[in-house]
Amino acid sequence: MCFNIVKCGERMKIKDILAERPVTVSFEVFPPKQWDKIENTKAVVRALSTAQPSFMSVTYGAAGTSSGFTQEIANEIEGCGITALSHLTCLTSTRDKIHEVVGTLAENHIDNILALRGDIPEGFTFPDEQYFEHACQLVDEIKRIGDFCIGGACYPEMHPESKDRVEDMAYLKYKVDCGLDFLTSQMFFDNEKFLDFVELCRIKGIDVPIIAGIMPITNAKQIRRSVALSNCSVPKKFYKIMDRFGEDDASMKQAGIIYATEQIIDLMANGIDHIHIYTMNKPDVAISIMNGLSEIISYHG
């Protein structure tokens, strides 16, 4: 296989990667919950890096409890010669905490941040003005702190808290106008819904790159939680796959890899050139998908 890879020591911003490369495929990893597992996650990063993704993102611990873990994994990603995208959620972090985390990212030469509000914990209320209620406030704050490339999240089938599509698109447009350089979608399984969403974004003047988020479903139980988190629908075709292969782990894993690969090929055939794979820290799954795309990416990338 031959993919583009960032040379070790070369700092790049995601917006430049998206602008310069006709096709990109990136990965997401998550940090461990306990420090004694950090080396295991670093091994996952090293394994994933062999597939030479365009960049790799690392998620942020709930309430910032593992922000140091996120930084450690981001450093490992950069050490593998791959551009790191560090997630940052603001809902339960104070402004001082945000400044501390962003300052640490800058000190470690991490130039890319995915700015997220985060899920609202049950019973949570905002104690004072030190807290951010919306992702757009976080974007504004990061812009004031330094010269970062900032991405945001979008929901192809509407944010679960939006009352309707009109409100959903208005808020997304406002968030982008606050200074986002790109959007990454939540997972989806129906490409038509994503394509319709992108078309609507362009009509509404949202012209930043929109990266398609793909979640390979490799076991039947995974689908329930995934759907609940992303507010996405599941096509009849995928339910049939789960009904037929869900009882056998090996069969379901293979079917999930093939479904995700075919989904990506169909997206690329329809002009969607930037893909983000939610790897769930499973290098074998992500690498299998990349192998299934090798000639496509080599030719078009």
Side-chain angles (χ1 to χ4, degrees), residues 175-209:
K175 186 168 66 170
V176 170
D177 290 345
C178 285
L180 291 183
D181 296 299
F182 64 93
L183 292 167
T184 301
S185 85
Q186 292 287 345
M187 70 195 77
F188 60 93
F189 302 103
D190 186 335
N191 284 359
E192 289 302 317
K193 293 185 182 298
F194 180 80
L195 294 171
D196 289 345
F197 168 74
V198 172
E199 182 179 10
L200 182 57
C201 284
R202 301 317 184 205
I203 291 171
K204 296 296 184 180
I206 299 171
D207 56 3
V208 298

Side-chain angles (χ1 to χ4, degrees), residues 6-262:
V6 178
K7 296 178 180 178
C8 188
E10 182 183 358
R11 296 173 62 185
M12 291 193 71
K13 292 187 175 179
I14 304 297
K15 63 181 180 181
D16 296 326
I17 293 174
L18 298 174
E20 294 172 9
R21 302 182 187 178
V23 170
T24 66
V25 180
S26 52
F27 295 161
E28 178 184 283
V29 296
F30 54 83
K33 294 181 180 179
Q34 292 84 32
W35 182 258
D36 61 0
K37 304 294 185 183
I38 198 79
E39 292 303 323
N40 293 343
T41 307
K42 287 182 179 181
V44 167
V45 168
R46 291 191 293 271
L48 287 168
S49 71
T50 64
Q52 301 183 11
S54 305
F55 61 89
M56 202 179 303
S57 73
V58 54
T59 62
Y60 192 69
T65 52
S66 61
S67 59
F69 298 2
T70 297
Q71 180 66 66
E72 189 77 9
I73 299 305
N75 290 343
E76 185 71 21
I77 292 169
E78 292 277 341
C80 290
I82 296 170
T83 296
L85 170 63
S86 181
H87 291 213
L88 179 58
T89 59
C90 64
L91 184 66
T92 55
S93 294
T94 64
R95 181 173 278 102
D96 290 343
K97 176 64 175 178
I98 295 298
H99 277 251
E100 176 190 335
V101 172
V102 174
T104 301
L105 290 172
E107 290 170 4
N108 285 270
H109 309 296
I110 306 297
D111 296 329
N112 303 285
I113 298 174
L114 190 70
L116 307 166
R117 185 199 67 179
D119 298 326
I120 300 178
E122 188 174 351
F124 178 79
T125 56
F126 295 95
D128 54 48
E129 67 279 358
Q130 268 275 320
Y131 289 80
F132 299 95
E133 295 187 43
H134 304 287
C136 56
Q137 296 170 309
L138 177 60
V139 175
D140 285 338
E141 198 71 18
I142 295 170
K143 287 287 185 183
R144 281 195 286 267
I145 295 172
D147 181 24
F148 292 90
C149 175
I150 307 175
C154 59
Y155 288 74
E157 297 180 59
M158 203 167 72
H159 193 285
E161 296 173 23
S162 295
K163 67 180 181 181
D164 53 39
R165 178 61 82 180
V166 173
E167 179 184 82
D168 190 64
M169 294 303 298
Y171 177 71
L172 183 61
K173 177 70 164 62
Y174 178 74
K175 186 168 66 170
V176 170
D177 290 345
C178 285
L180 291 183
D181 296 299
F182 64 93
L183 292 167
T184 301
S185 85
Q186 292 287 345
M187 70 195 77
F188 60 93
F189 302 103
D190 186 335
N191 284 359
E192 289 302 317
K193 293 185 182 298
F194 180 80
L195 294 171
D196 289 345
F197 168 74
V198 172
E199 182 179 10
L200 182 57
C201 284
R202 301 317 184 205
I203 291 171
K204 296 296 184 180
I206 299 171
D207 56 3
V208 298
I210 302 175
I211 305 172
I214 301 298
M215 169 75 84
I217 300 297
T218 55
N219 66 75
K221 293 180 181 178
Q222 184 186 358
I223 190 70
R224 298 182 185 90
R225 175 170 169 78
S226 298
V227 169
L229 288 173
S230 63
N231 195 39
C232 66
S233 57
V234 180
K236 184 177 180 180
K237 174 183 176 180
F238 197 85
Y239 276 122
K240 285 185 174 294
I241 289 173
M242 288 193 296
D243 289 343
R244 181 68 176 84
F245 306 115
E247 296 299 318
D248 181 72
D249 291 344
S251 297
M252 187 63 219
K253 180 177 179 179
Q254 186 174 52
I257 289 170
I258 293 171
Y259 187 93
T261 304
E262 290 181 345

